[in-house]
Every structure is written in C-alpha cells, then in structure tokens.
Amino acid sequence: MPTPPSPLTLTERDRRWQLARDLMRAEHLEALIVYGDREACAPAGFAHDCYFSNDRPGSMVVFIGDETPRVYTFASLMVADHLQAALRGDLQWIAPEQLFVGKTGRDVGAWLATRGMNGTRIGVIGLEPYPPFYFDGAMPARTLQALEAAVPEAKFVPVYRPFFQRASVKSGEELALIRHAAHIGEAMSEALRATAKPGVSEAELVAAVTATCFSMGGYTAEILLGSGPEYVGWGPAAWQYRAQAPRILRDGDLILSEIFALYGMMETQHQAAVAIGDVHPDILRAAEVARASYEAGVQALRVGSTFGDVVDAMEAPLLTAGGWHVHPLIHSINPYGPVGFGIAPGVESLPEAARYPELKRLPTVGRDVPLQEGMCFAFEPNCAFGRHMANIGGTVLVGPTAGVELNDNTTRLMHADI
C-alpha cells in the first residue's frame, strides 16, 4: 500500500480562504456564510464547511472581509475534539478563538448584526439545489429565517455556482488525496469481486468492502448494491432499510454496485459490476455499450470542452444501441455540481412502470460549465435492455487532451472466481 499523503498544510488553508475572499469580491459581498450539514451522511451530505475548516463536519463557517473566519459548531462536543487534537499535536487550521458553539441562524445573525452587516450583500453556500441530496437547498428554512430576522435589510445571495467554479479545480495537495482515495476504492472493488460467489450473501459483500476501506485508513458510509439474474434498481441494498434477509448470491447473477471511497474529505466513486458465472446475453451487451460510453467520455473530458459535450459523447452509444438508463452517466465530485442524465429513456420505458402515476425525468444540470484541468468527475455509464442492466465506471480528472483515469478494474465488467 502506498504511503498516505501528508495532512493538508496551512498553505492549502490560506489558498482556500483566499478563494473565499476572491469570491466575495467578485460577487460584491460583505460576508459569506458556508453552511455544513450534520455528520453521519458519508460523512456529511453537504460538507463545504470542512473545505474551509479542515475539521469535524456540521458547522457554519462565516467570513467577513479579509478577517479570519468564525466557525459556529452545533455543540461543545466539537470543542472537546478540537482541544484533544491540539493536545495530540494535530495540524489544525482553526484556532480556539475562532470556534463558537451556536450553529443557528439566531447566533450567527446576532454576530452579523453587531458587525454592521444589516443592509449588505451576504453570500450563502447552502441555499441552491444540490442534487442528488437537496433539491430545495441544504440550509434549513428556520436557519435562513433567523438570519433574515437578525439583519432584515441584508440581501442573502446564493453563491454555490461561483464557489464550484473555483473549488472544483483541485490543487496539488487535493489531487494527492483524491489519488489515494482512488487506490483505496480500487482495493474495495477487488474485495467485492473476490468475495462474490454462489452461496455468499449481499451482507458479506458489504462487510468485505467496508472492512477493506477502513483497514486502509479510508472512510465510507454506504454502498449502493443490488444483485440477481436481472436488476433494474439503484440504491442501497433493500435489507439496509427494510426488515428482510440479505439476498444470497447464485450462479448466473450480476452484482451492480457503487462504491464510495473517501480520504481527507476527498471522494472517489467506483462502479463495480461483477458477473457470477454465465449471465444473460443482454447483460453482456449492455456492458459493452457502457464501456463504449465510458471510453467516449474519457476522450471528451478535456480542456476546451463543456460538461454538455461530455454528456453528449457518453450518451451517443446508449442512443445508438436503443438502451435505457436508470441513473446519471456522469457527475462532478469534489465538489458535486454538474449532473449528466442526457435524453435517453429512463425506467419509464419498462412496461411495469406504467402503474406509477407520475414519473419525472431529472434534467442534465450544468451543460454550459467549461472544463478546467484538475476538475474531478465520477463516470457512471449504465445501459439496460429490458430488465437486464450493466453499470461500470470510476473517477476521472479533466486533462489537457483527454481525461486522466484514476482506476481501472471497475471500468469493465468484472468476473467472479467460481
């Protein structure tokens, strides 16, 4: 196993804080509020507070002008963790004087009022839709209402898009973390393949994958997984949320999964598809289309293209083959932003879907976003014929002339040892 990258430096901290100040100047803001969601959701569903604090998720980070930011945390538990990290000698970005208990609109608003922020433009990261988790924004309505009550003449401005345009281009330190996460994800995917055999349960697959991640010093919160001779769903295994036994694998099954590997809050995604013995011919055909989509996307993920160009390139093999797909072909990570669904049919193409009263297609988001070297994307090309689907892919960086692939084993249909 390669040596893990060094902790993020104060140089990286200063780069990110300067990014916030540049954003504020460009958007004519007097202050910037960065909302962070609660932890325990991989490790938080909306964790841009960590981008600026390099600390435990679940806070609001607030910038005013060129001052050092304040961090408003949810409880004194984080203060205890911060103190313990100092006793341990950890490299910390936030000084004790910057850390406050009171992650509420009331507390943050009261401080903004004392600083004369009433009547100013205040940027907020956390108000805009953030697919696939927060279609109404991550910040709770009550938090925003309390902020507005504290500084009623202020204008709160959503600024996620200009933040994404800056933060999506990764630094050298960040790329080192992403590459290490990809190494962990590759090993997790191999653990899935090596464990998959007739008679093994889906729970044993999840146990092997997560154990591999944690034993390598990575983090993962969930695995999207399904199996069977045919499979059209996409999400966590049903036994994780419904009281039923994990499915037992059989010869002729296909395992479809999405594996998340995180290191230092940087994420890679791996689409491990494993065939057990002889699978249906339509699965093999779908895997070939997915691979063609993957290759087209890698060639298109280059400086000078837009995100829409890549979506179109990846969708072309799917449209030609006449298949349908159940989830995006590609989306950004580190951070999330553009999501590419394209125009190909979805689950509504199945006859069984006619019983559902209202099926809405999710649109492609961010078609016009220009690609810059160092941006990071999860490739998820998937294709289905009838009830037989295949999904492959991995993590790819924008390169000068083509995408830079960070993993290999999940970019093709994998085969179990039986």
Side-chain angles (χ1 to χ4, degrees), residues 8-46:
L8 294 175
T9 66
L10 296 180
T11 298
E12 178 64 17
R13 178 199 67 181
D14 294 343
R15 184 190 74 84
R16 295 185 186 183
W17 289 6
Q18 188 59 46
L19 180 151
R21 294 165 185 139
D22 292 344
L23 185 155
M24 291 167 66
R25 277 190 283 272
E27 301 297 321
H28 309 291
L29 308 173
E30 296 295 327
L32 174 66
I33 299 172
V34 184
Y35 180 80
D37 197 10
R38 63 179 180 85
E39 53 201 6
C41 295
F46 192 89

Side-chain angles (χ1 to χ4, degrees), residues 164-165 167-171 175 178-179 267-268 294 296-311 314 330-335 338 366 369-379 394-407:
F164 173 85
Q165 290 170 334
S168 61
V169 179
K170 312 319 291 179
S171 69
L175 289 174
I178 293 169
R179 290 181 183 279
E267 176 184 7
T268 57
Y294 176 85
V298 170
Q299 291 304 309
L301 197 77
R302 60 182 182 270
V303 175
S305 296
T306 65
F307 179 68
D309 294 332
V310 184
V311 176
M314 294 185 71
I330 179 175
H331 64 82
S332 72
I333 48 176
N334 305 312
V369 171
L371 300 185
Q372 302 177 68
E373 189 170 358
M375 295 172 75
C376 189
F377 289 88
F379 275 45
T395 300
V396 186
L397 303 175
V398 176
T401 59
V404 179
E405 301 170 78
L406 298 189
N407 60 283

Side-chain angles (χ1 to χ4, degrees), residues 339-356:
V339 182
F341 283 91
I343 61 172
V347 70
E348 70 276 4
S349 62
L350 291 177
E352 296 85 352
R355 295 181 60 191
Y356 294 88

Side-chain angles (χ1 to χ4, degrees), residues 39 55-60 71-83 99-104 107:
E39 53 201 6
D55 221 308
R56 182 172 172 175
S59 299
M60 281 196 284
V71 177
Y72 284 86
T73 188
F74 66 99
S76 59
L77 300 173
M78 183 176 174
V79 173
D81 283 350
H82 190 271
L83 192 155
L99 185 57
F100 295 78
V101 177
K103 185 195 171 184
T104 68
D107 287 288

Side-chain angles (χ1 to χ4, degrees), residues 64-407:
I64 292 180
D66 290 333
E67 300 174 12
T68 56
R70 279 193 176 197
V71 177
Y72 284 86
T73 188
F74 66 99
S76 59
L77 300 173
M78 183 176 174
V79 173
D81 283 350
H82 190 271
L83 192 155
Q84 179 61 58
L87 295 174
R88 219 171 27 230
D90 294 353
L91 176 62
Q92 296 176 287
W93 286 11
I94 301 296
E97 294 77 15
Q98 295 171 257
L99 185 57
F100 295 78
V101 177
K103 185 195 171 184
T104 68
R106 181 184 64 254
D107 287 288
V108 173
W111 179 60
L112 292 174
T114 66
R115 296 301 310 277
M117 292 295 109
N118 202 18
T120 66
R121 282 171 57 88
I122 300 173
V124 182
I125 296 174
L127 293 181
E128 288 139 300
Y130 188 71
F133 304 114
Y134 302 99
F135 290 97
D136 287 328
M139 177 179 280
R142 189 167 178 172
T143 302
L144 179 60
Q145 290 164 1
L147 288 167
E148 292 173 332
V151 282
E153 302 302 319
K155 182 176 182 180
F156 291 92
V157 183
V159 292
Y160 182 76
R161 177 148 184 166
F163 166 72
F164 173 85
Q165 290 170 334
R166 292 164 171 80
S168 61
V169 179
K170 312 319 291 179
S171 69
E173 290 190 38
E174 291 172 323
L175 289 174
L177 302 185
I178 293 169
R179 290 181 183 279
H180 192 67
H183 172 76
I184 295 172
E186 187 108 335
M188 294 165 69
S189 303
E190 170 57 20
L192 177 75
R193 190 203 66 79
T195 307
K197 293 177 177 61
V200 170
S201 77
E202 289 182 348
E204 291 174 87
L205 297 179
V206 172
V209 172
T210 54
T212 299
C213 179
F214 289 121
S215 70
M216 298 176 71
Y219 179 82
T220 191
E222 68 173 350
I223 299 166
L224 308 187
L225 184 139
S227 67
E230 54 185 40
Y231 182 74
V232 298
W234 200 256
W239 48 265
Q240 294 184 8
Y241 54 82
R242 187 183 299 134
Q244 62 188 54
R247 186 177 179 278
I248 304 301
L249 303 179
R250 301 175 181 175
D251 188 47
D253 278 353
L254 175 70
I255 302 163
L256 293 178
S257 70
E258 185 166 353
I259 290 170
F260 306 89
L262 291 95
Y263 187 83
M265 294 298 291
M266 292 292 157
E267 176 184 7
T268 57
Q269 297 185 6
H270 307 256
Q271 314 296 125
V274 181
I276 302 178
D278 295 327
V279 296
H280 194 281
D282 279 348
I283 291 175
L284 301 178
R285 183 161 66 109
E288 291 177 357
V289 174
R291 175 63 193 184
S293 174
Y294 176 85
E295 292 176 351
V298 170
Q299 291 304 309
L301 197 77
R302 60 182 182 270
V303 175
S305 296
T306 65
F307 179 68
D309 294 332
V310 184
V311 176
D312 293 343
M314 294 185 71
E315 190 176 35
L318 182 64
L319 294 172
T320 300
W324 65 273
H325 65 128
V326 73
H327 60 76
L329 302 171
I330 179 175
H331 64 82
S332 72
I333 48 176
N334 305 312
Y336 286 11
V339 182
F341 283 91
I343 61 172
V347 70
E348 70 276 4
S349 62
L350 291 177
E352 296 85 352
R355 295 181 60 191
Y356 294 88
E358 187 172 1
L359 288 174
K360 292 183 179 180
R361 297 293 308 280
L362 294 174
T364 291
V365 176
R367 284 192 59 90
D368 60 340
V369 171
L371 300 185
Q372 302 177 68
E373 189 170 358
M375 295 172 75
C376 189
F377 289 88
F379 275 45
E380 305 181 357
N382 61 110
C383 175
F385 297 107
R387 294 198 295 267
H388 297 100
M389 181 171 66
N391 174 84
I392 63 167
T395 300
V396 186
L397 303 175
V398 176
T401 59
V404 179
E405 301 170 78
L406 298 189
N407 60 283

